[in-house]
Amino acid sequence: VQLQASGGGLVQAGGSLRLSCTVIGSIFTIYDMAWYQQAPGKQRELVATITHDSTPKYPNSVWGRFTISRDNAKNTVYLQMDSLKPEDTATYYCNAVSRQYKTWGDNYWGQGTLVTVSS
């Protein structure tokens, strides 16, 4: 199973970016998907999750600014990031966790995509 993330880049504060992550080599609909951010020198932190049946959840830090969605026909999860702040600068990683009976809990990571927000 491979996760291919893309969409990072440089944006000014207040701007928007959309990240994408495509799952290759497995059935996409068995996975809960998530996005994490990791700033330099800091631990990786959860910024959004979406269950295999499309229920989203967010921590307070991004509530109202970030939106996670999935397109099961394209095997892809998205993270729409609006009203970006300099403190959102980080490498963003997508994550897939299997919710299928036989592979429950199997966990996969994408390669990371860098988001830089300038002030």
Side-chain angles (χ1 to χ4, degrees):
V1 179
Q2 294 183 351
L3 277 61
Q4 293 187 347
S6 62
L10 174 64
V11 63
Q12 288 188 332
S16 298
L17 279 176
R18 189 177 80 156
L19 307 183
S20 301
C21 175
T22 300
V23 174
I24 299 171
S26 186
I27 302 171
F28 182 64
T29 53
I30 69 171
Y31 296 103
D32 289 350
M33 301 297 297
W35 287 96
Y36 289 75
Q37 66 178 195
Q38 187 167 21
K42 295 188 177 181
Q43 290 187 334
R44 196 170 294 188
E45 296 182 346
L46 179 68
V47 295
T49 65
I50 187 164
T51 63
H52 61 285
D53 57 356
S54 298
T55 300
K57 290 185 180 180
Y58 310 93
N60 291 338
S61 59
V62 304
W63 184 267
R65 299 191 301 120
F66 289 9
T67 303
I68 190 170
S69 62
R70 64 191 295 159
D71 185 336
N72 291 338
K74 295 182 178 180
N75 286 8
T76 299
V77 62
Y78 303 98
L79 184 68
Q80 177 68 40
M81 303 186 294
D82 299 317
S83 303
L84 282 162
K85 305 175 182 180
E87 51 264 43
D88 295 320
T89 294
T91 298
Y92 285 74
Y93 296 90
C94 60
N95 173 259
V97 179
S98 174
R99 295 309 181 205
Q100 183 187 52
Y101 174 71
K102 292 185 177 180
T103 57
W104 188 274
D106 286 1
N107 194 357
Y108 303 94
W109 291 92
Q111 81 280 14
T113 185
L114 179 63
V115 172
T116 303
V117 184
S118 63
S119 58

